[in-house]
Amino acid sequence: MKLKKFLEEHNIEAMLISSKYSLRYFTGFTGTTGIALAFAEKRFFFTDFRYVTQAKKEVEPNGFTVVKVERGAVDALAEYIKNSGIKKLGIEDKYVTLAEYVVYKEKFEEIGFVTLGEALDKLRMIKTEEEIGYIKKAVEIGDKVFEYILDKVKEGAVEKDLAAEMEFQMKKLGGEGPSFETIIASNYRSALPHGVASEKVLEKEGASCKIIAPKGGKIKGNKGTEIKLDENFLTATSVCFEAVFV
């Protein structure tokens, strides 16, 4: 398993997985409250009563045992870490706040922290065949959504309405949700690199509409397209880029 090899390569006995990106990737958890503690042979996921049922369904298939805790899992983590006898603990320092670090130092006595930097981020970049399949599916959904929305890009259309239509279609096709706010920037707003959809109405004068369509799926991605509109408000499209987000 990736985590066991990772621990060995970084010469650490265990690590805390706390960022929402790593929690989703390594544990499968899609909720908002939880933290994981991974050893070479055992893995635990700590969450409160609200997410226990969900967590069991999502994280247990990935080798994590769910531990129910009261609000805040630090005391339970400290007990597990103390009982394990480990001396070095990896932490996602990019995502740990100063306040959290102060609490860790207080609760996890005699533990040496190893900062992981971008190591877990880089590990997530190495895709399995299954993950590549998710990426392909996300691309397919994005293409279908874009084809659907082309007929809706008309004079008088509202950017936010177009964004809502796209996200609705994405979910109907099996997508989970956008990986970021859908970017639709028309006319003068098309100069904005990250012009999220607004109340702006599409106008014929200076007609140009930039759409960055987040793809829905287990692996997120996006496609950027600039739509040029002629005097009759007909569309001609050119794909600017595609990217995969981890």
Side-chain angles (χ1 to χ4, degrees):
M1 188 177 179
K2 283 185 177 182
L3 289 178
K4 180 177 181 179
K5 185 179 180 181
F6 181 87
L7 291 170
E8 293 171 350
E9 290 176 346
H10 287 78
N11 192 30
I12 51 179
E13 299 157 286
M15 67 178 173
L16 287 180
I17 302 174
S18 56
S19 76
K20 64 179 182 179
Y21 309 107
S22 292
L23 283 172
R24 175 63 197 276
Y25 185 83
F26 294 109
T27 73
F29 184 62
T30 61
T32 58
T33 303
I35 190 168
L37 176 63
F39 299 92
E41 301 299 335
K42 295 182 179 180
R43 297 167 192 86
F44 302 95
F45 182 82
F46 301 81
T47 191
D48 62 51
F49 72 95
R50 298 172 298 166
Y51 292 103
V52 169
T53 300
Q54 176 183 343
K56 286 183 177 180
K57 181 180 179 181
E58 293 178 340
V59 311
E60 288 185 350
N62 294 310
F64 286 82
T65 299
V66 176
V67 180
K68 179 183 174 182
V69 296
E70 300 301 323
R71 293 292 181 91
V74 177
D75 289 333
L77 280 168
E79 182 179 349
Y80 273 72
I81 290 170
K82 180 179 180 180
N83 292 338
S84 72
I86 65 169
K87 298 300 180 184
K88 289 193 292 184
L89 178 70
I91 60 172
E92 292 189 271
D93 51 296
K94 278 183 60 178
Y95 304 100
V96 173
T97 66
L98 177 58
E100 288 171 335
Y101 181 72
V102 169
V103 173
Y104 291 169
K105 289 287 289 184
E106 177 188 347
K107 297 289 186 177
F108 306 159
E109 298 177 4
E110 300 180 4
I111 294 293
F113 294 111
V114 178
T115 55
L116 299 177
E118 296 183 346
L120 278 184
D121 296 350
K122 292 178 179 178
L123 184 61
R124 296 199 310 268
M125 294 179 185
I126 304 171
K127 305 303 183 187
T128 65
E129 288 299 320
E130 181 180 15
E131 290 163 355
I132 291 171
Y134 292 140
I135 294 170
K136 290 179 178 179
K137 180 63 176 176
V139 170
E140 291 173 3
I141 291 173
D143 287 343
K144 290 177 181 178
V145 169
F146 185 72
E147 289 172 5
Y148 168 84
I149 207 64
L150 282 179
D151 288 337
K152 309 290 184 181
V153 181
K154 306 288 185 183
E155 183 178 14
V158 179
E159 291 177 355
K160 279 190 173 181
D161 292 345
L162 293 174
E165 286 264 13
M166 292 176 72
E167 291 169 18
F168 176 62
Q169 289 298 318
M170 179 181 64
K171 290 185 177 182
K172 281 184 68 176
L173 292 169
E176 233 172 59
S179 48
F180 54 86
E181 282 195 73
T182 301
I183 295 172
I184 299 183
S186 62
N187 304 96
Y188 61 85
R189 294 189 72 252
S190 65
L192 300 174
H194 287 272
V196 297
S198 71
E199 300 290 347
K200 174 76 173 62
V201 176
L202 273 66
E203 302 171 64
K204 186 177 293 185
E205 184 178 354
S208 177
C209 181
K210 176 169 58 184
I211 296 178
I212 310 296
K215 296 191 176 72
K218 192 166 183 179
I219 303 296
K220 309 289 189 182
N222 72 305
K223 169 174 287 187
T225 305
E226 187 83 15
I227 304 174
K228 299 295 184 182
L229 305 163
D230 63 20
E231 65 276 8
N232 296 316
F233 230 79
L234 299 176
T235 61
T237 65
S238 60
V239 175
C240 301
F241 65 85
E242 288 190 23
V244 172
F245 285 48
V246 294

